[in-house]
Amino acid sequence: MTALIRPMTGYGLLTRGRVTTAVLLTAFAVLPPVAEAFDLGYLTVVASRVMIYAIAALSLDLILGYGAMVSFGHAAFIGIGAYAVGMSAEHDLWEGALTFPIAMGAAGLFALATGAISLRTRGVYFIMITLAFGQMAYYTASSLSAYGGDDGLTIWGRSELLGVPVLEDDGSFYFFVLACLALCWWFASRVVASRFGRVLTGVRENRARMAAVGFDPYTHQLTAYVIAGMMAGLAGGLLANHAEFVSPAYMSWQRSGDLIIMVVLGGMGTLYGAVLGAVAYLALEDVLSGLTEHWRVIFGPLLILIVLFARGGIARAFRRESGGG
């Protein structure tokens, strides 16, 4: 695995995409003190949710933007990660050093099992089978009466770190989520800039040609699918801690659609675009839902205009992406 993600020559050169990401992460870092200065402390809680979905969008962009795998079941990984943390808490296991890896591992195993089947298909068949697996996970969670069923599961607290309930404080939790986002972006950027990432992008462009020169498209796509599933599982574990609640709704196909919109809105194939898309989507949701409960009627045409006239999404305003990052 280490050989697969070894960076290619020139990775150390700072690209504009990395500069943009650094600016975004810096903006998130300075938000809490600025919000406190203007007596807008609630923005810290809102921004924590935004960063969690940014991690999920980042994971989807890895397979959608770079691997051309349109998954309508990606939210299942978020839900599995969330339920892993919720079930652990239900059985009095609060240690985050255990529960977060459990969340990632459970989501990764589900991605491995479902991806091994789904990636035998392509195109609309892949979309439909991922949708089917996602709905299977959704209805399975709904039937878990011991863990709340349709009503969801309340978590009476947040995970601990090395036995210390540091995440109970919203500020500490915020910076923990920020650290997770930064680490996920760093790892994803190394994957994309590596030999493995170049092969994955090559499979997206011409699967037959990559197979002809000796690369196995199936193995590379499955590996990327599992990595994305594990990252989304981490987002799910963080979301469970953020809301202190877990619901089957986390796994719905509508949530998967929201993630796809975030990636398209920000700019597919640009890691920082996924973060921008998550910020823009959730900000628009918050603003438009305050105007009307039918806010999607307004948001829909806006998205169509972006797709038609700004095919690179929001990221196009920063640069036209040509590689990883």
Side-chain angles (χ1 to χ4, degrees):
M1 183 68 179
T2 304
L4 282 175
I5 62 172
R6 185 179 295 116
M8 297 184 72
T9 303
Y11 172 78
L13 296 175
L14 197 64
T15 66
R16 279 177 291 173
R18 293 184 177 88
V19 171
T20 304
T21 304
V23 171
L24 283 169
L25 294 177
T26 302
F28 278 125
V30 301
L31 176 63
V34 172
E36 284 297 327
F38 289 93
D39 198 25
L40 297 170
Y42 73 93
L43 287 178
T44 301
V45 177
V46 174
S48 295
R49 179 171 176 265
V50 170
M51 289 191 293
I52 291 169
Y53 276 102
I55 294 173
L58 191 66
S59 69
L60 178 60
D61 191 36
L62 190 62
I63 60 173
L64 176 58
Y66 293 94
M69 290 175 269
V70 185
S71 172
F72 259 94
H74 202 73
F77 306 133
I78 298 176
I80 289 170
Y83 267 95
V85 169
M87 290 178 179
S88 296
E90 191 73 2
H91 293 283
D92 207 28
L93 178 59
W94 297 94
E95 179 51 60
L98 295 176
T99 56
F100 287 121
I102 289 172
M104 295 175 68
L109 286 174
F110 185 76
L112 178 62
T114 58
I117 299 172
S118 301
L119 288 169
R120 299 290 181 183
T121 64
R122 276 181 268 171
V124 68
Y125 302 104
F126 177 80
I127 295 173
M128 295 308 295
I129 199 169
T130 56
L131 173 62
F133 279 126
Q135 289 302 98
M136 180 182 72
Y138 170 81
Y139 286 113
T140 299
S142 298
S143 67
L144 296 175
S145 56
Y147 299 101
D150 280 331
D151 296 326
L153 174 65
T154 299
I155 306 173
W156 303 105
R158 288 177 177 166
S159 299
E160 300 174 350
L161 291 179
L162 302 178
V164 181
V166 64
L167 299 184
E168 290 292 343
D169 176 68
D170 286 338
S172 299
F173 180 73
Y174 178 93
F175 284 105
F176 179 74
V177 175
L178 176 59
C180 290
L181 174 59
L183 284 171
C184 285
W185 173 83
W186 173 81
F187 179 75
S189 67
R190 287 183 66 87
V191 169
V192 169
S194 70
R195 187 177 296 108
F196 170 85
R198 301 300 184 190
V199 173
L200 185 65
T201 304
V203 172
R204 177 194 66 189
E205 298 299 330
N206 194 316
R207 184 185 183 95
R209 183 174 296 176
M210 294 305 293
V213 297
F215 293 105
D216 182 6
Y218 176 82
T219 301
H220 284 77
Q221 287 187 313
L222 181 59
T223 302
Y225 197 75
V226 172
I227 291 172
M230 293 179 71
M231 288 174 60
L234 173 61
L238 293 170
L239 186 61
N241 275 278
H242 179 264
E244 297 185 32
F245 179 75
V246 181
S247 168
Y250 292 173
M251 304 184 184
S252 67
W253 68 268
Q254 292 96 332
R255 189 61 56 89
S256 295
D258 290 342
L259 293 174
I260 292 176
I261 291 173
M262 290 177 194
V263 174
V264 172
L265 182 62
M268 290 191 299
T270 61
L271 297 177
Y272 72 92
V275 180
L276 283 171
V279 173
Y281 178 86
L282 294 172
L284 283 170
E285 178 185 27
D286 188 58
V287 172
L288 295 178
S289 62
L291 299 176
T292 172
E293 62 178 315
H294 305 295
W295 64 273
R296 292 179 188 271
V297 175
I298 303 174
F299 181 77
L302 286 176
L303 181 64
I304 292 172
L305 290 174
I306 291 172
V307 171
L308 288 176
F309 298 106
R311 296 184 63 187
I314 298 173
R316 189 177 185 181
F318 293 87
R319 72 181 178 102
R320 190 179 296 274
E321 184 77 6
S322 60

